[in-house]
């Protein structure tokens, strides 16, 4: 008889990630997780308070992995190339770990300090990439919000099969990111104008 692997939180999260990625976050349960780990459900409560805490930890892990993907993509690149690289890395993370990404966006406890730190790391990484454009701080933050909206929106629509037309999805994504980059350069050339437009609510 083979020896049973010693259960710890990292093993639990790894298996939970596999279930969420393969079957969807909504299918994840303590019972199913215990079955996949070949343990009794009460064994999991030695490491977790329940399903909600499990999903919170998956949310944190999802944001950390997103940062890891984007950081690796940004190494050795700057300005436009870096924007393209981190954007592709974001999409890659969602495609490879759809359940884990879903966990990171499906109403986790926003007051969790570990989650806040992980989210801040992602924001700071994007701001560092934007440093190459020498934007005003306020505009740079607006750009971070804009890029996040683009990446989350595109990847989420793709995950639910929302792009039904027979066109290359990767090409659409590339066009979208290049359009965003052109927008950055337009703002660089007319920062005062854009700030005035924003103040006027235009």
């Amino acid at each position: 008889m083979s020896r049973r692997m010693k259960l710890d939180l990292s093993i639990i999260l790894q298996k939970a990630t596999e279930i969420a990625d393969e079957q969807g976050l909504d299918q994840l349960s303590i019972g199913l997780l215990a079955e996949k780990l070949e343990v009794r459900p009460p064994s999991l409560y030695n490491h977790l308070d329940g399903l909600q805490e499990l999903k919170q930890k998956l949310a944190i892990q999802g944001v950390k992995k997103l940062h890891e993907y984007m950081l690796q993509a940004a190494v050795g690149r700057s300005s436009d190339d870096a924007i393209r690289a981190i954007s592709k890395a974001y999409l890659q993370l969602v495609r490879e770990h759809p359940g884990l990404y879903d966990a990171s966006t499906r109403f986790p406890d926003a007051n969790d300090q570990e989650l806040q730190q992980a989210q801040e790391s992602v924001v700071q990484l994007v701001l560092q990439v934007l440093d190459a454009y020498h934007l005003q701080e306020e505009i740079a933050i607006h750009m971070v919000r804009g890029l996040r909206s683009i990446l989350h929106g595109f990847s989420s629509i793709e995950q639910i099969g929302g792009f039904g037309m027979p066109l290359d999805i990767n090409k659409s994504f590339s066009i979208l990111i290049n359009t965003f980059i052109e927008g950055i350069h337009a703002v660089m050339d007319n920062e005062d104008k854009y700030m005035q437009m924003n103040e006027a609510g235009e």
Side-chain angles (χ1 to χ4, degrees):
M1 181 181 295
S2 61
R3 295 179 59 186
R4 180 173 294 176
M5 183 182 299
K6 184 177 180 180
L7 198 63
D8 62 23
L9 185 58
S10 64
I11 293 173
I12 292 172
L13 292 180
Q14 180 180 350
K15 184 58 66 175
T17 297
E18 291 175 8
I19 294 171
D21 287 342
E22 294 170 5
Q23 301 185 37
L25 184 64
D26 290 335
Q27 299 304 312
L28 180 61
S29 67
I30 295 296
L32 178 58
L33 180 57
E35 178 184 335
K36 295 294 185 181
L37 289 169
E38 298 182 347
V39 300
R40 293 175 61 82
S43 299
L44 298 179
Y45 289 97
N46 294 326
H47 306 274
L48 297 161
D49 290 337
L51 185 60
Q52 187 59 41
E53 183 182 4
L54 174 61
K55 289 184 176 181
Q56 182 70 18
K57 290 187 179 300
L58 286 179
I60 295 168
Q61 182 167 291
V63 178
K64 287 183 175 180
K65 188 167 285 291
L66 176 61
H67 177 262
E68 176 187 325
Y69 272 50
M70 295 174 72
L71 179 61
Q72 290 178 355
V75 172
R77 295 182 172 89
S78 63
S79 59
D80 296 358
D81 287 341
I83 292 289
R84 294 188 186 97
I86 65 173
S87 297
K88 289 178 181 178
Y90 190 111
L91 187 59
Q92 180 186 358
L93 180 280
V94 180
R95 287 173 172 176
E96 293 180 358
H97 296 287
L100 190 63
Y101 178 75
D102 196 16
S104 72
T105 62
R106 289 271 294 275
F107 312 112
D109 180 2
N111 295 318
D112 187 308
Q113 289 191 346
E114 188 175 3
L115 178 63
Q116 290 176 351
Q117 291 172 358
Q119 292 170 332
E120 182 63 20
S121 294
V122 175
V123 172
Q124 289 302 317
L125 172 59
V126 180
L127 285 172
Q128 288 173 13
V129 169
L130 290 173
D131 278 347
Y133 299 99
H134 306 293
L135 300 169
Q136 296 177 29
E137 181 179 0
E138 182 178 338
I139 289 183
I141 293 173
H142 288 312
M143 289 295 178
V144 172
R145 288 177 174 175
L147 184 60
R148 179 192 178 191
S149 299
I150 290 170
L151 297 176
H152 175 66
F154 189 97
S155 58
S156 298
I157 293 172
E158 181 183 23
Q159 285 302 306
I160 63 173
F163 296 125
M165 294 182 180
L167 292 172
D168 187 339
I169 292 177
N170 291 325
K171 186 173 182 180
S172 296
F173 185 73
S174 179
I175 291 171
L176 183 59
I177 298 305
N178 284 327
T179 301
F180 175 79
I181 290 171
E182 288 180 10
I184 293 177
H185 287 281
V187 172
M188 286 174 61
D189 295 336
N190 299 279
E191 279 191 287
D192 291 339
K193 172 186 173 182
Y194 277 91
M195 289 299 291
Q196 290 173 2
M197 288 172 60
N198 293 330
E199 290 171 0
E202 296 178 8

